[in-house]
Amino acid sequence: MSILFPRLLPSESDRIFSGIRGRAPSELSAQAGNSSLRAVFAATGGTRVTRDELRLLAATIEKLAIEAGYPDASSTAQRSQFDRAVARHLHQSSGMTPGEASQRQVWAFLGLVLVPHVCAWRFPMKDGTYVADRFKGSDLTRHTLARLWTRAHVLHDSAAPDPYALLDALGEADLDQVMARRRAIAATPTLVRAIVRAHVEDSNIGEDIPARAVLRDSLQRLLRLTAFLDLDWLPEEEILQLVREQRIESRKHLDVA
């Protein structure tokens, strides 16, 4: 049975977000909660998450943030630590299904009601203003928590000793390069896993050719291929071999350049 999460309607999301302008994470912590009188649930399709379950989820996310430096300013390494730990937990323990995870209003509730202080810490204000996408879920690839669940879901490998090991393989910027291409690449989990695996196993990159350059050039090549190839029907091993071939071509191109 799937778990249903509270949803904030767009007007309520706008109202709450407008109220956090200029407020520090410590101030937002005081208003965090596990319910809202203006939240709604899907009418059918599962069992509603309980307040106790939401309280536990919030406590765990906050604990992982504290381990990564919250409420103080964090380093790049600490932010990556937080992202990876929360991605694992959200996907493994929240009970959220892909259907619920596709709902922007679910993430608006989590970002604006459940843990607004953690979102504010992870993506601090610039010029006294927070970025709306990090809280409201208008773009799930940029929402503080939604992007993490999606990464864990796409990179999850149930056959591996550690099903979430691929989460640790790429840095934030490089993984963003992959996941931001939602339709052409990120929509095919086997392709995403193949890209990450090939990046990890590729030990032939010359010292004068940065791994990031090879990754990004090969992504452009894959984008051109996906314009006329349907990879959803290919076995995972064939997709991995295709990615390896594109990396080889990228190294040749970059070596000449």
Side-chain angles (χ1 to χ4, degrees):
M1 180 69 71
S2 61
I3 304 296
L4 302 178
F5 283 76
R7 305 179 182 193
L8 281 186
L9 298 179
S11 59
E12 181 66 2
S13 297
D14 292 341
R15 185 190 70 80
I16 297 177
F17 181 73
S18 66
I20 72 174
R21 180 182 175 87
R23 302 179 65 188
S26 58
E27 297 177 83
L28 297 177
S29 176
Q31 77 174 47
N34 59 9
S35 65
S36 169
L37 293 176
R38 300 186 180 182
V40 300
F41 285 87
T44 60
T47 301
R48 294 184 179 185
V49 67
T50 67
R51 291 188 179 186
D52 285 342
E53 289 170 332
L54 287 171
R55 186 180 295 112
L56 178 59
L57 177 60
T60 302
I61 292 174
E62 183 173 304
K63 174 179 176 289
L64 295 173
I66 290 171
E67 292 174 355
Y70 173 89
D72 300 322
S74 58
S75 65
T76 299
Q78 286 176 312
R79 292 191 294 272
S80 294
Q81 172 190 327
F82 170 79
D83 285 353
R84 291 165 181 168
V86 173
R88 285 174 179 255
H89 182 73
L90 279 174
H91 191 261
Q92 188 173 43
S93 303
S94 70
M96 188 175 293
T97 63
E100 280 293 280
S102 69
Q103 301 301 312
R104 294 177 174 86
Q105 295 166 359
V106 165
W107 296 108
F109 176 88
L110 297 182
L112 289 167
V113 176
L114 193 69
V115 287
H117 54 306
V118 175
C119 295
W121 163 78
R122 177 60 183 84
F123 291 101
M125 289 182 286
K126 293 183 179 179
D127 300 322
T129 303
Y130 291 109
V131 177
D133 286 344
R134 304 302 188 185
F135 294 80
K136 294 167 61 175
S138 46
D139 181 348
L140 295 184
T141 66
R142 289 170 55 77
H143 187 276
T144 304
L145 302 176
R147 65 194 179 89
L148 303 180
W149 186 95
T150 302
R151 290 176 184 180
H153 183 68
V154 169
L155 292 175
H156 181 266
D157 183 358
S158 58
D162 177 0
Y164 297 100
L166 292 178
L167 281 170
D168 302 330
L170 289 181
E172 173 73 14
D174 291 335
L175 193 51
D176 271 347
Q177 287 290 314
V178 178
M179 298 304 297
R181 294 164 166 84
R182 286 175 289 179
R183 296 180 180 176
I185 291 179
T188 305
T190 51
L191 176 57
V192 177
R193 291 194 293 272
I195 290 169
V196 176
R197 286 194 182 102
H199 184 80
V200 171
E201 72 182 19
D202 194 346
S203 59
N204 298 318
I205 301 174
E207 293 182 0
D208 56 336
I209 306 177
R212 175 171 292 179
V214 176
L215 172 66
R216 297 192 176 188
D217 187 85
S218 64
L219 284 177
Q220 293 300 320
R221 296 174 184 276
L222 288 168
L223 282 171
R224 291 194 287 271
L225 286 175
T226 56
F228 58 88
L229 282 180
D230 185 358
L231 301 183
D232 289 328
W233 300 101
L234 285 180
E236 192 154 357
E237 186 57 39
E238 290 187 26
I239 294 178
L240 178 58
Q241 184 57 37
L242 177 66
V243 173
R244 288 167 175 159
E245 292 169 357
Q246 299 314 303
R247 289 185 66 89
I248 291 172
E249 293 302 314
S250 292
R251 284 200 303 276
K252 290 179 180 178
H253 168 74
L254 294 169
D255 189 45
V256 171

